[in-house]
Amino acid sequence: MQRRGSPHGESTTAVSYDGIAIAPPLASRWVSRVQTRFGLPAPNASAPGLFAGVRWTIPFVAFLAYIFAITTYRLPIGSVAIIAGLAGLALQSEPRRFPALLVWFAAFILWCAVGYVSSPYPQRTWDGLVGLVKLWAIVLVGVNAFRSRSHIRVFTVFFLACFALYPVRGAFENYFLYRYTVFGRAVWSRAFENPNDLAAFALLQLAMVAALLSLERRWWVQRCAQIGLVLLPLLILMTQSRGGFIALALFTLCCVVGQWRHLRTLLDRTRRMRLIGMSLALIAVVSFFAPDGVWTRVAGLKHLTNTDQLDEVDREGSARQRWEIWRVAAKIIREHPVSGVGVSAYPLAHAVYARGEEFEPTAAGERDTHSTVLNLLGETGVPGLIFFLGVIMSVVVPAERVRRECKRRAPQLAMPLSFLEIGLLAFFAAGIFGSFAYLAFLYIHLVLLFVTADLTRRELASRRNVPASRVPWSVPRFSPTPTGEPVRQR
């Protein structure tokens, strides 16, 4: 640990991050002027380059290629990247990681395979199974591709850059230049053509931006990330997704409550009030540029408490339609409580069940459940939902344990974990109104949370001189060097 003096005669605590002193909390780095007034370290213009200390392995490059493929859709190299990553794992000299995340995910896929045997829609279920196996392979490559903070840094910046240059840019161009929207809601193309899904993806990216800012000292990365703190919430509001709005409000609330105690120890009362003022100004700017339609849709939420008033929620009638879809889903779940109708086969089953006289015509056709929980129950049954929860908790529980230990011993290292966990929570809050269980972005976020928690755990263990053999999780033994690269222990 080292201490840095401030212009106000105070000192702030900093810890090592790739050989660079870690900057103070996220909120204090929105603009340089605020940094100076608060007496916090300014961005380090002489910091090493973005790629300093990065070891370019085949799995890591393949993982980046997969991110490029599924985010930009410029090159159809997703499957090639998976194969290359698996080949790189077979050739690498480091011991391979096989954490509980992969075990639970494999169990979930095996249960889906059991559902395939009894599914009335075997072809659609088989296609869904193949997609899940590919996701499992990507997770396997991901958890073995990251070996240092440098890897996490490069991956985060690369992923955010791809998302900003394509989905974010495309959605803004469609909305403001070409006036191409869906009932006034911002969209892009391919996986981002659904406004609810686009809002959910932006929530995960917002969490990554916050995690990056909590540690990053390179001035140009900070400036780009600060812009992202404005554009991503604005994009979520432009989608006019009610689930996205609720999730964004939850994300903001959890960030404020979670970081307030840390800010109280760092800033005096006057500076905290200034910080609150800047935060309120940022919210006001985003709210001012948000489309009027988002506030109309949000205001309609007050009618959700009464099913007789669903027609008053929105003019498009989507709330009434979604309620009918949920009623159909409830009937399917009651008749297939154990194995479901087969992974990815729900739309086919819905088209059959929706013909019943008890349902309104608005629910007819091949529809999605518009709910992550109902989708899992309908396609994989109750056991499938339990296995899926095991996938999530196998990452979240150990990460939360590490975060709590960091709060006592190295509060700065707890902040990235906190933001990533809050982002995951907000994502599932949006999942109340969307089906997100099979989206690749979810599992990539779980990989990032896992490797961040794992590396942080090892950094804490190295500080208290605990032998690597006693560090939880069966992963390679290594300790970080000042450049962030791991050194294998003999």
Side-chain angles (χ1 to χ4, degrees), residues 4-173:
R4 280 179 175 255
S6 74
H8 299 271
E10 301 172 356
S11 61
T12 56
T13 302
V15 294
S16 176
Y17 172 68
D18 286 354
I20 308 167
I22 294 177
L26 162 70
S28 63
R29 300 209 306 283
W30 286 342
V31 292
S32 297
R33 182 177 179 183
V34 176
Q35 292 170 322
T36 303
R37 292 175 68 88
F38 287 168
L40 303 175
N44 189 350
S46 61
L50 178 66
F51 303 111
V54 178
R55 183 182 178 188
W56 297 96
T57 62
I58 295 178
F60 183 64
V61 174
F63 198 70
L64 294 182
Y66 179 76
I67 293 298
F68 180 83
I70 67 170
T71 307
T72 68
Y73 290 96
R74 300 295 295 178
L75 295 174
I77 57 175
S79 298
V80 175
I82 297 176
I83 297 174
L86 293 175
L89 286 182
L91 298 174
Q92 74 175 15
S93 58
E94 294 87 353
R96 293 151 191 83
R97 297 170 175 172
F98 203 88
L101 166 62
L102 286 169
V103 176
W104 278 99
F105 199 5
F108 176 70
I109 295 174
L110 287 176
W111 181 254
C112 292
V114 172
Y116 166 76
V117 177
S118 59
S119 174
Y121 314 100
Q123 184 58 51
R124 182 70 66 90
T125 303
W126 176 258
D127 294 340
L129 275 174
V130 171
L132 287 177
V133 171
K134 290 181 179 179
L135 279 178
W136 188 90
I138 281 298
V139 173
L140 174 63
V141 173
V143 297
N144 286 278
F146 298 86
R147 299 287 176 170
S148 69
R149 289 277 181 186
S150 300
H151 284 138
I152 296 176
R153 179 185 68 240
V154 171
F155 164 78
T156 304
V157 173
F158 180 80
F159 196 2
L160 291 174
C162 290
F163 195 83
L165 293 176
Y166 287 90
V168 175
R169 175 194 55 79
F172 273 85
E173 287 182 351

Side-chain angles (χ1 to χ4, degrees), residues 365-389:
E366 295 187 10
R367 303 286 185 178
D368 181 69
T369 57
H370 294 286
S371 170
T372 298
V373 173
L374 293 181
N375 184 257
L376 286 167
L377 288 173
E379 294 187 348
T380 64
V382 175
L385 177 62
I386 294 174
F387 283 125
F388 179 80
L389 292 177

Side-chain angles (χ1 to χ4, degrees), residues 210-414:
L212 181 67
L213 269 174
S214 65
L215 294 181
E216 186 56 47
R217 287 277 296 175
R218 293 160 183 82
W219 68 270
W220 66 271
V221 176
Q222 287 191 21
R223 295 298 174 261
C224 292
Q226 289 159 5
I227 295 173
L229 285 180
V230 178
L231 295 183
L232 287 172
L234 181 58
L235 175 61
I236 294 172
L237 295 180
M238 287 167 52
T239 64
Q240 300 185 29
S241 169
R242 285 183 287 259
F245 178 84
I246 295 173
L248 179 60
L250 178 63
F251 179 86
T252 304
L253 178 63
C254 291
C255 287
V256 172
V257 174
Q259 301 301 325
W260 182 249
R261 179 178 298 180
H262 187 62
L263 291 176
R264 289 187 64 183
T265 62
L266 187 67
L267 307 176
D268 58 30
R269 181 176 180 181
T270 301
R271 294 171 184 170
R272 290 199 302 269
M273 295 304 296
R274 292 174 182 170
L275 182 57
I276 292 174
M278 292 294 298
S279 302
L280 293 176
L282 176 61
I283 295 174
V285 170
V286 173
S287 302
F288 176 79
F289 286 101
D292 295 335
V294 66
W295 309 120
T296 302
R297 290 176 61 87
V298 170
L301 292 174
K302 62 184 179 182
H303 300 293
L304 288 179
T305 57
N306 190 340
T307 56
D308 295 331
Q309 300 179 357
L310 290 178
D311 292 330
E312 302 179 23
V313 174
D314 53 52
R315 61 185 180 182
E316 301 90 5
S318 64
R320 169 64 66 181
Q321 182 187 53
R322 185 164 299 180
W323 173 252
E324 288 300 316
I325 290 174
W326 285 0
R327 290 182 59 217
V328 177
K331 183 176 181 179
I332 295 175
I333 293 169
R334 286 194 300 269
E335 297 189 5
H336 302 83
V338 179
S339 60
V341 297
V343 61
S344 300
Y346 176 86
L348 298 178
H350 181 96
V352 175
Y353 278 79
R355 297 170 186 166
E357 296 181 355
E358 67 268 36
F359 305 117
E360 295 184 4
T362 55
E366 295 187 10
R367 303 286 185 178
D368 181 69
T369 57
H370 294 286
S371 170
T372 298
V373 173
L374 293 181
N375 184 257
L376 286 167
L377 288 173
E379 294 187 348
T380 64
V382 175
L385 177 62
I386 294 174
F387 283 125
F388 179 80
L389 292 177
V391 172
I392 305 302
M393 300 309 293
S394 67
V395 177
V396 172
V397 172
E400 176 62 15
R401 190 178 299 120
V402 173
R403 187 192 69 83
R404 293 187 179 186
E405 184 178 359
C406 284
K407 286 185 66 177
R408 297 191 303 268
R409 304 185 58 218
Q412 198 73 43
L413 295 179

